[in-house]
Amino acid sequence: MTETLSDVRALVGRHFRHIYRIPEQLISVTIMPIAFVLIFGMLFGSAMQVEGGSYQEYIMAGIFIQVMMANISQTALGVVGDLSNGLVDRFRSLPISRSAVLIGRTTADMALAAWSCALMAGVGYLIGWRIHNGLPKALAAFGLLLLLGFAMSWLGALLGLALRSTESVNALAFMAMMPLVFLSNAFVPPDGLPTWLRVVAEWNPVSMVVTACRQLFGNPTVGLGTGLPAEHPVMMSLLLIGGILAVVVPMSGRAYSTATAR
């Protein structure tokens, strides 16, 4: 265990050194999150209203989730790059834990997601977003966000190992993220949707995590609907993320072993 942790620490440091040498890689986790907050918060916020608070407060949880979901493609592309440039083959020749390679990648990407969250929180505060339920619940919300980002990174690792193609990763990640994010309560209350579509939005996993974060932040939670996702969003979110990790982590480990054996 100690050797594995040491390997993970070394690999995380490698990822950060790589970013330091090529700072352009920070664009996607720095400029884009800020742009999302400004566009959705200021442009749409000037034309939309929600009950119980401002649209800026309503939208922030959805933007946080959108950025966490982007970890799928970010990690997948990183894994594809490591496979294509022969880095994984070099890792095989070193006396390091195989699990440390994927843990190092996903941990580094989660750290970048934390950086994005901090930036978005700062910009959100400037445009009117506020936390109303105190610091402990706010920290719990950010912890839930980062846990989701960590799970999405592992899902991305599995995706990259399975597809091994940049084009395929981009296409599949886009197809998965678009309906999950936009057919949810992330940006608008689902009250105006047809009944069957509203039920889909209410049971959307993204809606569960968004609602949980809004409750923890003390932000508006209009259009909750009924059922377990609306009544116990935090518990349902933890069960959902835990289930994803329980399935995806061992599958990623097996996929990595298969990929390195080719």
Side-chain angles (χ1 to χ4, degrees):
M1 178 61 72
T2 302
E3 293 180 355
T4 300
L5 291 176
S6 178
D7 293 340
V8 169
R9 185 167 59 252
L11 290 169
V12 171
R14 169 198 169 267
H15 292 306
F16 287 151
R17 286 191 296 273
H18 191 63
I19 292 173
Y20 177 77
R21 292 167 185 162
I22 310 177
E24 294 84 2
Q25 295 184 8
L26 284 175
I27 292 176
S28 62
V29 295
T30 300
I31 297 178
M32 291 304 295
I34 293 175
F36 286 146
V37 174
L38 293 176
I39 292 172
F40 285 99
M42 298 187 68
L43 182 61
F44 294 168
S46 63
M48 299 187 66
Q49 296 180 347
V50 294
E51 297 179 6
S54 67
Y55 184 73
Q56 285 80 5
E57 292 190 342
Y58 179 84
I59 198 68
M60 282 301 297
I63 301 175
F64 281 132
I65 299 299
Q66 184 181 24
V67 172
M68 294 302 105
M69 294 289 290
N71 267 20
I72 296 176
S73 58
Q74 179 166 322
T75 303
L77 291 173
V79 169
V80 170
D82 289 345
L83 288 170
S84 61
N85 63 20
L87 182 63
V88 172
D89 291 332
R90 290 196 291 272
F91 284 153
R92 289 179 61 195
S93 65
L94 298 174
I96 63 173
S97 168
R98 289 191 174 186
S99 62
V101 177
L102 293 180
I103 295 174
R105 164 67 64 178
T106 54
T107 301
D109 287 342
M110 187 181 67
L112 292 176
W115 165 252
S116 297
C117 277
L119 290 176
M120 289 188 291
V123 176
Y125 184 85
L126 293 177
I127 67 170
W129 175 61
R130 296 293 184 270
I131 294 170
H132 301 286
N133 279 350
L135 183 60
K137 288 188 176 182
L139 292 177
F142 284 118
L144 185 63
L145 287 169
L146 294 179
L147 187 61
L148 175 67
F150 189 57
M152 294 302 100
S153 286
W154 276 100
L155 184 58
L158 177 61
L159 193 65
L161 290 166
L163 298 180
R164 302 170 67 92
S165 164
T166 300
E167 294 78 10
S168 299
V169 164
N170 282 327
L172 190 57
F174 179 81
M175 290 174 59
M177 287 175 56
M178 287 297 290
L180 282 173
V181 173
F182 287 98
L183 189 55
S184 70
N185 63 357
F187 301 118
V188 293
D191 296 344
L193 296 175
T195 302
W196 69 271
L197 200 55
R198 184 170 66 249
V199 173
V200 172
E202 291 171 356
W203 283 86
N204 184 338
V206 170
S207 294
M208 298 180 192
V209 185
V210 169
T211 301
C213 290
R214 284 177 180 148
Q215 286 193 356
L216 291 169
F217 286 136
N219 295 152
T221 55
V222 296
L224 283 179
T226 58
L228 286 175
E231 296 171 2
H232 306 284
V234 176
M235 179 191 73
M236 292 294 292
S237 298
L238 290 173
L239 289 175
L240 168 70
I241 297 171
I244 292 174
L245 288 171
V247 173
V248 172
V249 171
M251 289 183 64
S252 298
R254 286 194 293 269
Y256 181 79
S257 298
T258 301
T260 55
R262 295 176 183 177

